[in-house]
Amino acid sequence: MRILALATVLVIAQATPALCWWQYAEWGLSSRQIASASGGRTAPCQPQVPACARLPGGAAPSLFVDGITMVGMPASAAFAFDAGDHLIQTVVFFSGATPDLIEKLLQGIHGVPVDPQATPPIWRDARRDSEITPLAVKDGVMLLYRPAKGR
């Protein structure tokens, strides 16, 4: 039964990206461009919003949007920009998700991690030139998306 559920989520995952405006946020876009792409759904980050948390080694997000769907699961996304107002990081928070589930989904979509022995593992999305790192946090899992570093 669990295999059937995972297969269903993976099928949804393949169809979902076309519906998610934020997944087409390209590295280097400005906060205004991200806000425009969201149709006005972005809001300034707030301390109580889990997706807005600053992750170890990550940048502090300044905008977020709640109520998105990724791989068939509800989520929220937050965006961080450099001093020149260029997108440098996206964080997706899945409330109640487990690291095991998210890692299986990443493996189903992107294959094996860049370094299978690394902790945490890092996946590469060549199509979007991104590195994706799943991180277990209080009440769920965050996916940290950053530009790939030529791996």
Side-chain angles (χ1 to χ4, degrees), residues 92-134:
V92 180
F93 174 69
F94 296 98
S95 179
T98 63
D100 183 52
L101 172 63
I102 298 300
E103 288 180 15
K104 285 180 182 173
L105 290 171
L106 285 169
Q107 192 160 358
I109 296 167
H110 299 291
V112 297
V114 173
D115 178 356
Q117 304 304 316
T119 303
I122 298 172
W123 275 265
R124 180 134 161 65
D125 180 348
R127 193 172 80 220
R128 293 190 179 94
D129 196 31
S130 303
E131 289 184 347
I132 308 165
T133 308

Side-chain angles (χ1 to χ4, degrees), residues 58-76:
S62 59
L63 293 177
F64 83 100
V65 65
D66 199 17
I68 63 170
T69 301
M70 181 175 173
V71 292
M73 297 168 39
S76 56

